[in-house]
Amino acid sequence: ISTKEGFAAVPADKYTVQITDVNLKTQFNSFKQIEEDLLNYEFAVLDNKTMDVENEQGKTEAESVRGRKLWKRVSQNLGAKSWLGKLAFAVLGELTIDQKKAFDPESVIDMQVDVMVEIQEGQGKNVGNQYNNIIAFSKTTKELTPFDNDKSAKGADRESKPVEPEAMAEEESDDFIKGLEKDKDAADEKDSKKK
């Protein structure tokens, strides 16, 4: 959320949110030097916490953050360390391999999750603006009164497809294999000491 459109960033805090929508967005990945299709999740804050905002007369007044929107772009990778994997785990718990293969990004719409939000300062041409950034997902400790959602996947005429599993990056794959080999070597050494 940028202050440029006239919305002040919500204070850094933990919020209970409702997942209200997800769309596919194409974004250039400067690290990989390619265009990527990312899932852009939209969240609506359910908490009735307040924040100080300046009104048109220049006076500060308390305003509820309930209904404010937050967004998080995530890759279509459902790995344990990926943002999509963290979101799915916080909402649905541990997924089996079959559940991961059949996971539909829209299946979590209308569900609640707790998010930790920070405030980031804009860079470059956006200096002076503040943005909210979701830095963690966790299971909701207490469900709050949800919003009616006209974008709900339940009964709505939406077209979606399951997330395609992505191969690990070569470095991740090498590290994973080295970790397995190290575990096997440690187990073999332990077995030889028993004999």
Side-chain angles (χ1 to χ4, degrees):
I1 300 173
S2 165
T3 57
K4 203 170 200 172
E5 285 83 32
F7 289 103
V10 298
D13 203 347
K14 181 178 178 181
Y15 298 96
T16 298
V17 296
Q18 176 179 341
I19 303 167
T20 52
D21 199 11
V22 62
N23 292 292
L24 209 55
K25 295 281 185 195
T26 302
Q27 180 175 308
F28 184 72
N29 182 324
S30 56
F31 179 71
K32 295 180 182 177
Q33 294 294 307
I34 58 169
E35 293 280 331
E36 284 185 314
D37 286 334
L38 301 177
L39 297 169
N40 188 33
Y41 277 96
E42 177 188 86
F43 305 89
V45 177
L46 296 174
D47 293 274
N48 215 7
K49 297 176 182 179
T50 59
M51 61 185 273
D52 290 334
V53 292
E54 195 173 296
N55 65 19
E56 292 171 4
Q57 291 78 33
K59 294 183 180 175
T60 302
E61 55 186 38
E63 180 181 282
S64 175
V65 296
R66 182 172 167 85
R68 291 292 300 274
K69 300 286 187 178
L70 300 168
W71 291 268
K72 182 73 174 176
R73 288 186 183 180
V74 300
S75 73
Q76 297 184 57
N77 177 355
L78 252 179
K81 293 183 179 180
S82 72
W83 282 109
L84 182 59
K86 292 174 184 178
L87 175 61
F89 179 78
V91 175
L92 303 170
E94 193 68 44
L95 299 177
T96 66
I97 292 171
D98 289 340
Q99 288 172 322
K100 285 181 180 180
K101 287 179 183 174
F103 180 79
D104 180 346
E106 294 178 355
S107 65
V108 294
I109 290 179
D110 283 337
M111 295 187 177
Q112 295 184 22
V113 64
D114 284 353
V115 296
M116 184 61 72
V117 175
E118 70 174 4
I119 296 177
Q120 284 188 330
E121 296 295 327
Q123 304 292 318
K125 64 181 180 179
N126 296 313
V127 167
N129 292 338
Q130 291 187 327
Y131 300 89
N132 283 126
N133 184 30
I134 295 174
I135 57 172
F137 294 110
S138 61
K139 183 173 177 56
T140 300
T141 52
K142 180 183 174 190
E143 290 219 356
L144 300 177
T145 305
F147 293 107
D148 287 334
N149 185 5
D150 59 354
K151 298 173 188 169
S152 174
K154 299 171 188 157
D157 188 21
R158 293 178 65 104
E159 184 181 323
S160 64
K161 61 180 182 161
V163 173
E164 295 291 327
E166 282 185 13
M168 276 187 209
E170 195 171 314
E171 312 85 56
E172 289 177 305
S173 178
D174 291 344
D175 290 345
F176 180 72
I177 291 168
K178 286 177 188 173
L180 288 176
E181 289 171 349
K182 189 176 178 181
D183 291 346
K184 184 184 178 315
D185 291 343
D188 290 346
E189 187 177 320
K190 188 176 178 182
D191 285 346
S192 67
K193 286 182 181 179
K194 285 182 181 178
K195 294 177 183 177

mmCIF file of all heavy atoms in Angstrom, residues 28-60:
data_model
loop_
_atom_site.group_PDB
_atom_site.id
_atom_site.type_symbol
_atom_site.label_atom_id
_atom_site.label_comp_id
_atom_site.label_asym_id
_atom_site.label_seq_id
_atom_site.Cartn_x
_atom_site.Cartn_y
_atom_site.Cartn_z
ATOM 1 N N PHE A 28 8.916 -8.568 -13.797
ATOM 2 C CA PHE A 28 10.291 -8.865 -14.201
ATOM 3 C C PHE A 28 11.113 -9.222 -12.972
ATOM 4 O O PHE A 28 11.130 -8.493 -11.991
ATOM 5 C CB PHE A 28 10.917 -7.668 -14.924
ATOM 6 C CG PHE A 28 12.300 -7.947 -15.447
ATOM 7 C CD1 PHE A 28 12.482 -8.772 -16.539
ATOM 8 C CD2 PHE A 28 13.412 -7.403 -14.826
ATOM 9 C CE1 PHE A 28 13.756 -9.046 -17.023
ATOM 10 C CE2 PHE A 28 14.684 -7.664 -15.292
ATOM 11 C CZ PHE A 28 14.855 -8.486 -16.397
ATOM 12 N N ASN A 29 11.798 -10.362 -13.018
ATOM 13 C CA ASN A 29 12.676 -10.798 -11.940
ATOM 14 C C ASN A 29 14.094 -10.374 -12.327
ATOM 15 O O ASN A 29 14.697 -10.957 -13.228
ATOM 16 C CB ASN A 29 12.578 -12.324 -11.758
ATOM 17 C CG ASN A 29 13.440 -12.833 -10.623
ATOM 18 O OD1 ASN A 29 14.540 -12.337 -10.380
ATOM 19 N ND2 ASN A 29 12.955 -13.846 -9.932
ATOM 20 N N SER A 30 14.610 -9.342 -11.663
ATOM 21 C CA SER A 30 15.921 -8.810 -12.026
ATOM 22 C C SER A 30 17.045 -9.785 -11.679
ATOM 23 O O SER A 30 18.108 -9.755 -12.294
ATOM 24 C CB SER A 30 16.160 -7.460 -11.348
ATOM 25 O OG SER A 30 16.027 -7.581 -9.959
ATOM 26 N N PHE A 31 16.824 -10.684 -10.711
ATOM 27 C CA PHE A 31 17.845 -11.662 -10.335
ATOM 28 C C PHE A 31 17.978 -12.725 -11.426
ATOM 29 O O PHE A 31 19.062 -13.057 -11.867
ATOM 30 C CB PHE A 31 17.500 -12.305 -8.986
ATOM 31 C CG PHE A 31 18.481 -13.348 -8.541
ATOM 32 C CD1 PHE A 31 19.746 -12.988 -8.125
ATOM 33 C CD2 PHE A 31 18.140 -14.695 -8.551
ATOM 34 C CE1 PHE A 31 20.661 -13.948 -7.723
ATOM 35 C CE2 PHE A 31 19.040 -15.657 -8.145
ATOM 36 C CZ PHE A 31 20.310 -15.288 -7.735
ATOM 37 N N LYS A 32 16.818 -13.253 -11.898
ATOM 38 C CA LYS A 32 16.828 -14.292 -12.935
ATOM 39 C C LYS A 32 16.827 -13.706 -14.347
ATOM 40 O O LYS A 32 17.011 -14.426 -15.319
ATOM 41 C CB LYS A 32 15.595 -15.198 -12.784
ATOM 42 C CG LYS A 32 15.564 -16.002 -11.505
ATOM 43 C CD LYS A 32 14.302 -16.852 -11.464
ATOM 44 C CE LYS A 32 14.204 -17.650 -10.184
ATOM 45 N NZ LYS A 32 12.931 -18.417 -10.128
ATOM 46 N N GLN A 33 16.575 -12.387 -14.465
ATOM 47 C CA GLN A 33 16.514 -11.688 -15.755
ATOM 48 C C GLN A 33 15.432 -12.261 -16.673
ATOM 49 O O GLN A 33 15.645 -12.424 -17.881
ATOM 50 C CB GLN A 33 17.888 -11.721 -16.458
ATOM 51 C CG GLN A 33 18.968 -10.942 -15.740
ATOM 52 C CD GLN A 33 18.686 -9.439 -15.731
ATOM 53 O OE1 GLN A 33 18.454 -8.843 -16.771
ATOM 54 N NE2 GLN A 33 18.709 -8.835 -14.561
ATOM 55 N N ILE A 34 14.264 -12.592 -16.081
ATOM 56 C CA ILE A 34 13.131 -13.106 -16.865
ATOM 57 C C ILE A 34 11.826 -12.523 -16.321
ATOM 58 O O ILE A 34 11.764 -12.055 -15.192
ATOM 59 C CB ILE A 34 13.035 -14.656 -16.811
ATOM 60 C CG1 ILE A 34 12.910 -15.152 -15.354
ATOM 61 C CG2 ILE A 34 14.197 -15.322 -17.514
ATOM 62 C CD1 ILE A 34 12.537 -16.617 -15.219
ATOM 63 N N GLU A 35 10.787 -12.569 -17.162
ATOM 64 C CA GLU A 35 9.430 -12.216 -16.728
ATOM 65 C C GLU A 35 8.847 -13.428 -16.020
ATOM 66 O O GLU A 35 8.996 -14.557 -16.499
ATOM 67 C CB GLU A 35 8.550 -11.866 -17.934
ATOM 68 C CG GLU A 35 8.957 -10.607 -18.653
ATOM 69 C CD GLU A 35 8.471 -9.341 -17.974
ATOM 70 O OE1 GLU A 35 7.422 -9.383 -17.311
ATOM 71 O OE2 GLU A 35 9.151 -8.307 -18.103
ATOM 72 N N GLU A 36 8.190 -13.215 -14.874
ATOM 73 C CA GLU A 36 7.594 -14.309 -14.116
ATOM 74 C C GLU A 36 6.126 -14.025 -13.863
ATOM 75 O O GLU A 36 5.735 -12.887 -13.646
ATOM 76 C CB GLU A 36 8.269 -14.439 -12.736
ATOM 77 C CG GLU A 36 9.608 -15.068 -12.734
ATOM 78 C CD GLU A 36 10.125 -15.258 -11.308
ATOM 79 O OE1 GLU A 36 10.029 -14.307 -10.506
ATOM 80 O OE2 GLU A 36 10.605 -16.350 -11.013
ATOM 81 N N ASP A 37 5.319 -15.084 -13.878
ATOM 82 C CA ASP A 37 3.912 -14.980 -13.493
ATOM 83 C C ASP A 37 3.831 -15.239 -12.002
ATOM 84 O O ASP A 37 4.163 -16.335 -11.535
ATOM 85 C CB ASP A 37 3.051 -15.994 -14.256
ATOM 86 C CG ASP A 37 2.843 -15.586 -15.708
ATOM 87 O OD1 ASP A 37 2.901 -14.374 -15.987
ATOM 88 O OD2 ASP A 37 2.627 -16.476 -16.548
ATOM 89 N N LEU A 38 3.417 -14.223 -11.243
ATOM 90 C CA LEU A 38 3.299 -14.332 -9.791
ATOM 91 C C LEU A 38 1.839 -14.288 -9.383
ATOM 92 O O LEU A 38 1.003 -13.712 -10.080
ATOM 93 C CB LEU A 38 4.049 -13.181 -9.109
ATOM 94 C CG LEU A 38 5.539 -13.061 -9.413
ATOM 95 C CD1 LEU A 38 6.119 -11.838 -8.715
ATOM 96 C CD2 LEU A 38 6.287 -14.312 -8.985
ATOM 97 N N LEU A 39 1.530 -14.887 -8.253
ATOM 98 C CA LEU A 39 0.193 -14.810 -7.673
ATOM 99 C C LEU A 39 0.153 -13.580 -6.783
ATOM 100 O O LEU A 39 0.981 -13.435 -5.883
ATOM 101 C CB LEU A 39 -0.114 -16.069 -6.856
ATOM 102 C CG LEU A 39 -0.146 -17.374 -7.643
ATOM 103 C CD1 LEU A 39 -0.195 -18.568 -6.688
ATOM 104 C CD2 LEU A 39 -1.329 -17.403 -8.587
ATOM 105 N N ASN A 40 -0.785 -12.677 -7.029
ATOM 106 C CA ASN A 40 -0.927 -11.471 -6.218
ATOM 107 C C ASN A 40 -2.141 -11.651 -5.302
ATOM 108 O O ASN A 40 -3.280 -11.526 -5.747
ATOM 109 C CB ASN A 40 -1.105 -10.250 -7.122
ATOM 110 C CG ASN A 40 -1.051 -8.956 -6.344
ATOM 111 O OD1 ASN A 40 -0.336 -8.841 -5.353
ATOM 112 N ND2 ASN A 40 -1.815 -7.978 -6.779
ATOM 113 N N TYR A 41 -1.882 -11.981 -4.032
ATOM 114 C CA TYR A 41 -2.967 -12.183 -3.063
ATOM 115 C C TYR A 41 -3.382 -10.848 -2.462
ATOM 116 O O TYR A 41 -2.534 -10.014 -2.146
ATOM 117 C CB TYR A 41 -2.533 -13.136 -1.940
ATOM 118 C CG TYR A 41 -2.681 -14.588 -2.328
ATOM 119 C CD1 TYR A 41 -1.614 -15.319 -2.818
ATOM 120 C CD2 TYR A 41 -3.914 -15.231 -2.202
ATOM 121 C CE1 TYR A 41 -1.759 -16.654 -3.179
ATOM 122 C CE2 TYR A 41 -4.070 -16.559 -2.553
ATOM 123 C CZ TYR A 41 -2.996 -17.261 -3.048
ATOM 124 O OH TYR A 41 -3.155 -18.575 -3.408
ATOM 125 N N GLU A 42 -4.685 -10.671 -2.306
ATOM 126 C CA GLU A 42 -5.256 -9.478 -1.672
ATOM 127 C C GLU A 42 -5.839 -9.901 -0.330
ATOM 128 O O GLU A 42 -6.506 -10.928 -0.235
ATOM 129 C CB GLU A 42 -6.356 -8.901 -2.562
ATOM 130 C CG GLU A 42 -7.059 -7.701 -1.954
ATOM 131 C CD GLU A 42 -8.262 -7.283 -2.785
ATOM 132 O OE1 GLU A 42 -9.355 -7.857 -2.572
ATOM 133 O OE2 GLU A 42 -8.099 -6.393 -3.636
ATOM 134 N N PHE A 43 -5.588 -9.099 0.692
ATOM 135 C CA PHE A 43 -6.066 -9.369 2.046
ATOM 136 C C PHE A 43 -6.819 -8.149 2.554
ATOM 137 O O PHE A 43 -6.434 -7.015 2.264
ATOM 138 C CB PHE A 43 -4.885 -9.625 2.992
ATOM 139 C CG PHE A 43 -3.953 -10.713 2.532
ATOM 140 C CD1 PHE A 43 -2.872 -10.413 1.704
ATOM 141 C CD2 PHE A 43 -4.137 -12.031 2.911
ATOM 142 C CE1 PHE A 43 -2.006 -11.407 1.272
ATOM 143 C CE2 PHE A 43 -3.282 -13.027 2.489
ATOM 144 C CZ PHE A 43 -2.206 -12.718 1.672
ATOM 145 N N ALA A 44 -7.879 -8.376 3.334
ATOM 146 C CA ALA A 44 -8.605 -7.284 3.990
ATOM 147 C C ALA A 44 -8.397 -7.431 5.494
ATOM 148 O O ALA A 44 -8.610 -8.513 6.059
ATOM 149 C CB ALA A 44 -10.093 -7.346 3.656
ATOM 150 N N VAL A 45 -7.971 -6.355 6.143
ATOM 151 C CA VAL A 45 -7.727 -6.381 7.591
ATOM 152 C C VAL A 45 -9.062 -6.506 8.321
ATOM 153 O O VAL A 45 -10.008 -5.777 8.047
ATOM 154 C CB VAL A 45 -6.981 -5.104 8.046
ATOM 155 C CG1 VAL A 45 -6.798 -5.087 9.556
ATOM 156 C CG2 VAL A 45 -5.638 -4.985 7.328
ATOM 157 N N LEU A 46 -9.138 -7.454 9.260
ATOM 158 C CA LEU A 46 -10.362 -7.683 10.030
ATOM 159 C C LEU A 46 -10.301 -7.044 11.418
ATOM 160 O O LEU A 46 -11.338 -6.839 12.048
ATOM 161 C CB LEU A 46 -10.626 -9.190 10.174
ATOM 162 C CG LEU A 46 -10.897 -9.943 8.866
ATOM 163 C CD1 LEU A 46 -10.997 -11.439 9.125
ATOM 164 C CD2 LEU A 46 -12.160 -9.433 8.191
ATOM 165 N N ASP A 47 -9.102 -6.746 11.897
ATOM 166 C CA ASP A 47 -8.957 -6.131 13.222
ATOM 167 C C ASP A 47 -9.611 -4.762 13.260
ATOM 168 O O ASP A 47 -9.676 -4.072 12.246
ATOM 169 C CB ASP A 47 -7.472 -5.951 13.570
ATOM 170 C CG ASP A 47 -6.760 -7.258 13.761
ATOM 171 O OD1 ASP A 47 -6.795 -7.788 14.878
ATOM 172 O OD2 ASP A 47 -6.173 -7.743 12.778
ATOM 173 N N ASN A 48 -10.042 -4.377 14.448
ATOM 174 C CA ASN A 48 -10.630 -3.050 14.621
ATOM 175 C C ASN A 48 -9.649 -2.126 15.342
ATOM 176 O O ASN A 48 -10.055 -1.204 16.038
ATOM 177 C CB ASN A 48 -11.955 -3.147 15.381
ATOM 178 C CG ASN A 48 -12.958 -2.117 14.873
ATOM 179 O OD1 ASN A 48 -12.714 -1.428 13.896
ATOM 180 N ND2 ASN A 48 -14.076 -2.010 15.550
ATOM 181 N N LYS A 49 -8.350 -2.364 15.158
ATOM 182 C CA LYS A 49 -7.329 -1.493 15.741
ATOM 183 C C LYS A 49 -7.435 -0.127 15.072
ATOM 184 O O LYS A 49 -7.992 0.003 13.982
ATOM 185 C CB LYS A 49 -5.937 -2.085 15.510
ATOM 186 C CG LYS A 49 -5.728 -3.430 16.177
ATOM 187 C CD LYS A 49 -4.372 -4.014 15.824
ATOM 188 C CE LYS A 49 -4.200 -5.383 16.466
ATOM 189 N NZ LYS A 49 -2.917 -5.991 16.127
ATOM 190 N N THR A 50 -6.890 0.892 15.733
ATOM 191 C CA THR A 50 -6.946 2.228 15.148
ATOM 192 C C THR A 50 -5.550 2.750 14.836
ATOM 193 O O THR A 50 -4.553 2.271 15.390
ATOM 194 C CB THR A 50 -7.649 3.229 16.093
ATOM 195 O OG1 THR A 50 -6.939 3.266 17.329
ATOM 196 C CG2 THR A 50 -9.095 2.842 16.322
ATOM 197 N N MET A 51 -5.510 3.728 13.957
ATOM 198 C CA MET A 51 -4.266 4.414 13.630
ATOM 199 C C MET A 51 -4.564 5.903 13.536
ATOM 200 O O MET A 51 -5.703 6.295 13.274
ATOM 201 C CB MET A 51 -3.685 3.893 12.307
ATOM 202 C CG MET A 51 -4.588 4.104 11.103
ATOM 203 S SD MET A 51 -3.938 3.350 9.591
ATOM 204 C CE MET A 51 -2.903 4.662 8.979
ATOM 205 N N ASP A 52 -3.558 6.715 13.795
ATOM 206 C CA ASP A 52 -3.726 8.160 13.701
ATOM 207 C C ASP A 52 -3.546 8.605 12.256
ATOM 208 O O ASP A 52 -2.566 8.234 11.601
ATOM 209 C CB ASP A 52 -2.700 8.887 14.583
ATOM 210 C CG ASP A 52 -2.984 8.692 16.063
ATOM 211 O OD1 ASP A 52 -4.155 8.446 16.407
ATOM 212 O OD2 ASP A 52 -2.042 8.775 16.867
ATOM 213 N N VAL A 53 -4.527 9.368 11.758
ATOM 214 C CA VAL A 53 -4.440 9.921 10.409
ATOM 215 C C VAL A 53 -4.769 11.406 10.469
ATOM 216 O O VAL A 53 -5.498 11.858 11.344
ATOM 217 C CB VAL A 53 -5.409 9.213 9.418
ATOM 218 C CG1 VAL A 53 -4.985 7.792 9.168
ATOM 219 C CG2 VAL A 53 -6.831 9.274 9.891
ATOM 220 N N GLU A 54 -4.241 12.131 9.506
ATOM 221 C CA GLU A 54 -4.496 13.565 9.442
ATOM 222 C C GLU A 54 -5.706 13.809 8.553
ATOM 223 O O GLU A 54 -5.770 13.320 7.426
ATOM 224 C CB GLU A 54 -3.258 14.276 8.867
ATOM 225 C CG GLU A 54 -3.271 15.755 9.088
ATOM 226 C CD GLU A 54 -1.954 16.380 8.661
ATOM 227 O OE1 GLU A 54 -0.913 16.068 9.274
ATOM 228 O OE2 GLU A 54 -1.992 17.185 7.702
ATOM 229 N N ASN A 55 -6.699 14.554 9.081
ATOM 230 C CA ASN A 55 -7.901 14.846 8.283
ATOM 231 C C ASN A 55 -7.653 16.056 7.386
ATOM 232 O O ASN A 55 -6.565 16.631 7.373
ATOM 233 C CB ASN A 55 -9.140 15.018 9.177
ATOM 234 C CG ASN A 55 -9.049 16.213 10.095
ATOM 235 O OD1 ASN A 55 -8.265 17.139 9.879
ATOM 236 N ND2 ASN A 55 -9.862 16.219 11.137
ATOM 237 N N GLU A 56 -8.677 16.462 6.628
ATOM 238 C CA GLU A 56 -8.539 17.566 5.676
ATOM 239 C C GLU A 56 -8.209 18.899 6.349
ATOM 240 O O GLU A 56 -7.651 19.798 5.730
ATOM 241 C CB GLU A 56 -9.819 17.692 4.849
ATOM 242 C CG GLU A 56 -10.033 16.514 3.916
ATOM 243 C CD GLU A 56 -11.394 16.531 3.248
ATOM 244 O OE1 GLU A 56 -12.170 17.492 3.440
ATOM 245 O OE2 GLU A 56 -11.686 15.572 2.522
ATOM 246 N N GLN A 57 -8.601 19.043 7.629
ATOM 247 C CA GLN A 57 -8.317 20.275 8.364
ATOM 248 C C GLN A 57 -6.926 20.253 9.001
ATOM 249 O O GLN A 57 -6.549 21.180 9.712
ATOM 250 C CB GLN A 57 -9.371 20.501 9.471
ATOM 251 C CG GLN A 57 -10.760 20.849 8.959
ATOM 252 C CD GLN A 57 -11.516 19.621 8.440
ATOM 253 O OE1 GLN A 57 -11.338 18.528 8.960
ATOM 254 N NE2 GLN A 57 -12.337 19.817 7.422
ATOM 255 N N GLY A 58 -6.171 19.167 8.768
ATOM 256 C CA GLY A 58 -4.825 19.063 9.331
ATOM 257 C C GLY A 58 -4.796 18.560 10.765
ATOM 258 O O GLY A 58 -3.744 18.560 11.394
ATOM 259 N N LYS A 59 -5.952 18.127 11.282
ATOM 260 C CA LYS A 59 -6.005 17.597 12.644
ATOM 261 C C LYS A 59 -5.841 16.081 12.611
ATOM 262 O O LYS A 59 -6.277 15.416 11.672
ATOM 263 C CB LYS A 59 -7.329 17.961 13.311
ATOM 264 C CG LYS A 59 -7.495 19.456 13.532
ATOM 265 C CD LYS A 59 -8.772 19.756 14.263
ATOM 266 C CE LYS A 59 -8.901 21.271 14.476
ATOM 267 N NZ LYS A 59 -10.179 21.613 15.072
ATOM 268 N N THR A 60 -5.222 15.541 13.660
ATOM 269 C CA THR A 60 -5.026 14.098 13.755
ATOM 270 C C THR A 60 -6.227 13.471 14.438
ATOM 271 O O THR A 60 -6.700 13.958 15.464
ATOM 272 C CB THR A 60 -3.741 13.785 14.553
ATOM 273 O OG1 THR A 60 -2.640 14.413 13.891
ATOM 274 C CG2 THR A 60 -3.486 12.306 14.639
#
